[in-house]
Amino acid sequence: MGSGWSSEEERQPLLGPGLGPAPGAAWRSRGEAAAAAAAVLPAAAPSPGRVYGRRWLVLLLFSLLGFVQGLVWNTWGPIQNSARQAYGFSSWDIALLVLWGPIGFMPCFAFMWLLDKRGLRITVLLTSFLMVLGTGLRCIPISDLMLKRRLIHAGQLLNGLAGPTVMNAAPFLSTTWFSADERATATAIASMLSYLGGACAFLVGPLVVPAPNGTAPLLASENSRAHIKDRIETVLYAEFGVVCLLFSATLAYFPPRPPLPPSVAAASQRLSYRRSFCRLLSNLRFLMIALAYAIPLGVFAGWSGVLDLILTPVHVSQVDAGWIGFWSIVGGCVVGIAMARFADFIRGMLKLILLLLFSGATLSSTWFTLTCLNSITHLPLTTVTLYASCILLGVFLNSSIPIFFELFVETVYPVPEGITCGVVTFLSNMFMGVLLFFLTFYHTELSWFNWCLPGSCLLSLLLILCFRESYDRLYLDVVVSV
């Protein structure tokens, strides 16, 4: 299926005759899989397992692309007051500029189909080209503010369309380029940098763009508006330049795959696009762990978007709320990469890691919710307790993302990695969109939203506890390479 979209060289099997796994071997018991692998592997035949130093360059380019995509997506949130004065944005405009990210995930299955059929290079080039177009549209010098706002919205939408690739293709890249003892680390780096880019927007925007002064005289206000607009355009031009540089680097060197596969799993044949969806939708274990990922991460994403409104009743400023969000994401990225490296050293422990992370997330979210109800619980309500509970919650949830991705792929192997992660990320964005929709009607009372966090974390913890883990891809690598 899809052979007409690939060259003759790409259609050649990466494993020679007898080196690949027997059909259905990944779905048998461990003893049957070992026997089948031993039966098809010639005694004198070399097993695939070569890695190349250039894999780190490929990982760097992809990770930087994800970093910049997250940075561009979150350009307007941290400077929304300045953007209102410079371009006349309304509250709905600001909300829509953020929502273009989740909306960009609607055609995610088309990008996953492209990744499955045409490979990593074509998909990444298209993604980076969309980012070039998006950031370029925002930089067109036009005096008409109405048209300028429309161009900015169009640019944010094009950048949002790059989201499915930078957030879903990390396991595909790690499997294609990295050995079995490096895959989780590569997945964590490639998937976490996009979140780190969104967090760094909280630093870049406020440092470059000054806040508006609402008490200044009219003439001074006009001069201030012009100055703010110039500073915002400086940020837009800088982001456009970085995206163009990354696109040029990707165009110059981003090979679709290494000359030799790094593992047996990387060389084995995968299911077709249609059969993959049938396998995913009929696999109850996958649906269980997908809900364990999508529900709490979707709720947390929506909760983070209105964190300043949630903390307003307890007298926390918008600036402090922004710093809480920043450090929770940065901490999640650092801990996520550390946990992934630990998972590479001690393989087969993904479920245990997730149980520990979601136990911490459940306790942290409960702590935060009860602290906000200090008139009833009499828990100390201080800046330290709010910072600690929110940051710990972000660390536990954000660091679970690469662990989840690896467990998804292991559970449904040989379904392609991009399709698997595309489905779960789509579900997560769907839950976030539903919550944001409800917030438009119940934005005056957000205390109920706090209870959604511990409830979703506890539900996920129970689902993970009942989940029966399997490591079909990892076991295939171990059996055939022995």
Side-chain angles (χ1 to χ4, degrees):
M1 182 177 178
S3 59
W5 293 91
S6 57
S7 64
E8 182 65 29
E9 179 184 356
E10 290 175 329
R11 290 196 296 269
Q12 295 300 320
L14 293 176
L15 280 178
L19 287 180
W27 304 100
R28 303 171 184 171
S29 66
R30 289 193 171 185
E32 293 171 331
V40 299
L41 184 65
S47 62
R50 180 176 179 181
V51 293
Y52 298 83
R54 72 191 78 168
R55 70 191 186 280
W56 297 108
L57 176 60
V58 174
L59 178 63
L60 176 64
L61 288 175
F62 184 87
S63 301
L64 289 177
L65 199 65
F67 178 88
V68 176
Q69 196 274 339
L71 182 68
V72 172
W73 166 72
N74 199 28
T75 298
W76 303 100
I79 58 171
Q80 55 178 297
N81 293 327
S82 302
R84 291 173 194 268
Q85 181 169 340
Y87 296 106
F89 282 126
S90 64
S91 299
W92 169 247
D93 284 320
I94 297 296
L96 188 58
L97 288 172
V98 177
L99 281 174
W100 286 127
I103 292 173
F105 270 85
M106 294 182 66
C108 73
F109 297 117
F111 284 91
M112 297 306 99
W113 175 86
L114 185 65
L115 181 66
D116 184 40
K117 301 305 175 186
R118 298 304 302 271
L120 195 60
R121 175 176 171 81
I122 298 298
T123 309
V124 171
L125 283 176
L126 176 61
T127 297
S128 56
F129 182 68
L130 288 174
M131 292 174 60
V132 170
L133 289 180
T135 53
L137 284 178
R138 304 186 311 168
C139 296
I140 297 177
I142 294 178
S143 58
D144 187 348
L145 289 182
M146 175 64 73
L147 184 56
K148 182 69 175 180
R149 289 195 294 268
R150 291 178 178 177
L151 289 175
I152 291 175
H153 278 290
Q156 292 299 120
L157 173 59
L158 289 173
N159 182 76
L161 292 174
T165 300
V166 299
M167 299 191 70
N168 295 333
F172 182 88
L173 183 146
S174 63
T175 301
T176 303
W177 282 92
F178 289 83
S179 60
D181 58 352
E182 295 175 335
R183 281 197 296 243
T185 304
T187 298
I189 294 173
S191 60
M192 289 282 95
L193 264 290
S194 177
Y195 294 91
L196 186 60
C200 287
F202 287 103
L203 295 180
V204 175
L207 285 177
V208 178
V209 180
N213 185 2
T215 61
L218 180 61
L219 181 59
S221 178
E222 286 296 322
N223 293 333
S224 175
R225 188 183 73 83
H227 177 64
I228 290 174
K229 186 177 180 181
D230 289 339
R231 301 299 289 178
I232 292 177
E233 290 180 351
T234 300
V235 174
L236 299 183
Y237 280 116
E239 291 176 346
F240 175 61
V242 173
V243 171
C244 289
L245 182 63
L246 285 176
F247 175 71
S248 301
T250 305
L251 187 64
Y253 185 79
F254 198 94
R257 62 184 184 185
L260 292 175
S263 63
V264 175
S268 61
Q269 187 176 1
R270 304 305 170 87
L271 298 180
S272 66
Y273 191 77
R274 183 179 303 174
R275 289 186 61 196
S276 296
F277 276 99
C278 294
R279 180 66 62 86
L280 292 177
L281 296 178
S282 62
N283 191 324
L284 294 180
R285 291 194 306 122
F286 169 75
L287 295 177
M288 179 187 298
I289 199 69
L291 290 177
Y293 168 87
I295 294 177
L297 268 298
V299 171
F300 178 71
W303 178 82
S304 301
V306 294
L307 183 59
D308 56 335
L309 299 178
I310 292 175
L311 294 177
T312 298
V314 292
H315 310 292
V316 175
S317 67
Q318 181 176 340
V319 175
D320 286 333
W323 279 111
I324 290 174
F326 171 78
W327 287 115
S328 65
I329 296 175
V330 171
C333 293
V334 173
V335 175
I337 295 174
M339 285 291 182
R341 194 65 193 137
F342 174 76
D344 277 332
F345 277 115
I346 306 177
R347 289 178 277 183
M349 304 287 287
L350 298 179
K351 177 180 175 178
L352 178 60
I353 294 175
L354 288 177
L355 285 174
L356 294 175
L357 291 176
F358 272 87
S359 297
T362 303
L363 293 175
S364 300
S365 57
T366 304
W367 180 22
F368 171 81
T369 302
L370 294 179
T371 299
C372 292
L373 298 174
N374 67 319
S375 60
I376 300 175
T377 61
H378 302 291
L379 291 175
L381 178 61
T382 63
T383 304
V384 174
T385 57
L386 289 176
Y387 261 81
S389 58
C390 289
I391 291 175
L392 284 175
L393 175 61
V395 166
F396 287 129
L397 288 180
N398 287 323
S399 61
S400 70
I401 294 173
I403 307 299
F404 265 121
F405 279 2
E406 286 295 299
L407 187 58
F408 293 144
V409 175
E410 295 286 353
T411 301
V412 298
Y413 182 85
V415 175
E417 293 84 354
I419 297 175
T420 303
C421 297
V423 170
V424 295
T425 309
F426 179 82
L427 288 175
S428 178
N429 278 271
M430 184 183 69
F431 278 107
M432 180 178 66
V434 170
L435 281 173
L436 292 176
F437 175 78
F438 276 105
L439 285 175
T440 59
F441 297 98
Y442 301 100
H443 59 278
T444 56
E445 177 58 49
L446 295 176
S447 60
W448 62 271
F449 207 173
N450 289 337
W451 288 106
C452 292
L453 272 174
S456 62
C457 292
L458 180 60
L459 175 61
S460 179
L461 181 63
L462 295 176
L463 289 173
I464 296 171
L465 190 63
C466 299
F467 174 73
R468 180 174 57 84
E469 61 185 335
S470 63
Y471 298 89
D472 300 324
R473 181 185 61 166
L474 175 61
Y475 197 72
L476 179 67
D477 285 327
V478 173
V479 167
V480 177
S481 60
V482 171

